[in-house]
Amino acid sequence: MKDNPQVIVLNVDDQDAPPGTSSRAICGKRGFTVIEARTGAEALRLSLRAGKTPVVLLDVQLPDITGYEVCAFVKKKWPEVMVLLTSSTFTTSAHRTRGLDSG
């Protein structure tokens, strides 16, 4: 992927990761360009401004709207975008089903 720096990943997370373990650090080492959002509203603004990004790394628990809502918007507008929902808390099968239902 280092030969393809124009690939953009939208990382949406309201919490800081330990140094070197963030999605930005990991994706950057693999040649991706990472743009970051801390809230669902910011993620939606960036999505609309940047256009379709091929990958969205999306925290489920955001301070304003849920990652499920962001996912549903992105998948409705750009169904081909891969959205990876993440959570730092324990998830149940109901959470996974809700994630699949949102797109």
Side-chain angles (χ1 to χ4, degrees):
M1 292 311 286
K2 288 196 185 269
D3 296 334
N4 198 4
Q6 71 273 12
V7 176
I8 298 172
V9 174
L10 174 57
N11 181 47
V12 187
D13 196 345
D14 62 325
Q15 297 187 6
D16 292 324
T21 63
S22 71
S23 298
R24 180 185 213 47
I26 293 167
C27 292
K29 286 179 186 175
R30 283 153 182 83
F32 294 98
T33 299
V34 180
I35 56 175
E36 296 185 293
R38 303 284 264 178
T39 67
E42 185 180 9
L44 295 176
R45 279 193 304 276
L46 287 171
S47 293
L48 292 171
R49 188 172 12 155
K52 179 183 70 176
T53 59
V55 178
V56 178
L57 303 176
L58 180 58
D59 187 11
V60 172
Q61 295 180 338
L62 297 170
D64 53 355
I65 60 177
T66 69
Y68 302 116
E69 294 168 296
V70 175
C71 179
F73 175 86
V74 169
K75 293 301 280 186
K76 184 175 183 180
K77 186 154 181 69
W78 302 290
E80 65 280 4
V81 170
M82 182 185 311
V83 178
L84 303 169
L85 291 166
T86 64
S87 179
S88 62
T89 61
F90 177 75
T91 59
T92 65
S93 58
H95 292 111
R96 290 186 289 278
T97 299
R98 186 172 179 197
L100 290 170
D101 288 344
S102 67

